[in-house]
Amino acid sequence: MHEFPVIEVGGFHLDLSAILAIVVSGIITFVIAKLATRNLSIRNPSKLQNFMEWVVEFVHKTIASTMPLSKVKMFVGLGMTLITYLFVSNLLGLPFGIVTEHHEEFRLFGSVVVSEETIEKHGGEVHVAWWKSPTADIMVNFGLAIIVFFLIHILGLKMNRKHYLKHYVEPYPVFLPLNLIEQIVRPVTLAVRLYANIYAGELLIATILMLNFVGIPLLAVWQGFSIFVGAVQAFLFTILTMVYISQAIVHEDH
């Protein structure tokens, strides 16, 4: 079993592998967007431009399925950012891993990463994993879900204040506690669903790697399936975000 490099800064415990993965995912997402929009051409578009145009059309249709067409355009950028960043993040831990072995106390930036107690607990040797998908970390997913949570309520108060506040006491005021619980549960389910699928996939890959050469065919099959799972989870997180935003900003007269 691997340990992750965690350091303490100002009372906070920071997972360096998660921070590294978040930064790399952001850079890859930015580079993809930059390359896809460079040298745009109507007559002779590049393959990457064609692909990104298909993604934009797909995201546009996805958002249009959740809210009126008049409101779709303002959320296409958010949808593109979410689905691209999450897809990249979900796949980041698939190609390879970075693991170091430690037989004595290891410090980084003056903070203990591997203590002597941990080494003794693991029988004199500790394996530290420095690379993983950021979405395989529950705290990263909670961070994303909380951002979405606040965005939903800010948009609801800004674009549909009267009806947005009223829906908390509908159909009857007694439903207020249940409606509040529903709002709290939403970011939790967003984070846990994403974490469970990505973490389970990477855990299975680590298990298959223990089989050495016997596991190579299984590894190839599972990595292919993991790409599909990563795409599905990015799509689900994005479309659920749009559904929640639509419920906050759109008022329908019945």
Side-chain angles (χ1 to χ4, degrees), residues 82-148:
L82 274 177
I83 201 167
T84 306
Y85 179 79
L86 287 171
F87 181 65
V88 171
S89 297
N90 291 347
L91 304 187
L92 207 61
L94 294 182
F96 60 89
I98 301 175
V99 180
T100 56
E101 296 182 2
H102 300 274
H103 301 275
E104 58 184 22
E105 185 177 86
F106 174 63
R107 289 177 174 267
L108 193 65
F109 306 122
S111 181
V112 176
V113 177
V114 179
S115 64
E116 293 180 356
E117 291 79 5
T118 304
I119 293 172
E120 292 178 2
K121 180 181 177 181
H122 288 268
E125 181 180 270
V126 175
H127 294 83
V128 178
W130 297 85
W131 188 258
K132 64 179 178 181
S133 296
T135 45
D137 189 310
I138 186 64
M139 298 311 296
V140 173
N141 296 338
F142 269 124
L144 289 170
I146 289 171
I147 291 172
V148 169

Side-chain angles (χ1 to χ4, degrees), residues 164-229:
Y164 174 71
L165 294 175
K166 185 180 177 182
H167 95 278
Y168 281 100
V169 292
E170 290 180 341
Y172 304 104
V174 71
F175 281 85
L176 175 61
L178 292 178
N179 288 330
L180 290 175
I181 292 173
E182 179 190 9
Q183 297 301 318
I184 295 172
V185 168
R186 282 179 175 181
V188 175
T189 56
L190 279 176
V192 172
R193 181 189 296 107
L194 182 58
Y195 165 74
N197 283 276
I198 305 305
Y199 178 74
E202 294 201 355
L203 190 62
L204 187 55
I205 288 175
T207 304
I208 293 173
L209 288 174
M210 295 179 183
L211 301 175
N212 297 322
F213 294 105
V214 179
I216 292 178
L218 294 174
L219 182 63
V221 172
W222 184 252
Q223 284 196 324
F225 181 70
S226 294
I227 294 174
F228 170 73
V229 171

Side-chain angles (χ1 to χ4, degrees), residues 11 14 39 50 61 65 69 77 83 90 115 124 131 136 138 140 142 154 170-171 177 187 201 208 217 236 250 254:
L14 305 179
N39 299 325
N50 283 330
K61 289 181 178 178
S65 68
L69 195 60
I83 201 167
N90 291 347
S115 64
W131 188 258
I138 186 64
V140 173
F142 269 124
I154 289 171
E170 290 180 341
I208 293 173
L236 286 176
V250 177
H254 297 284

Side-chain angles (χ1 to χ4, degrees), residues 230-251:
V232 170
Q233 291 305 312
F235 169 75
L236 286 176
F237 193 101
T238 303
I239 193 171
L240 285 174
T241 298
M242 295 305 162
V243 168
Y244 297 153
I245 289 175
S246 176
Q247 291 175 348
I249 68 173
V250 177
H251 170 65

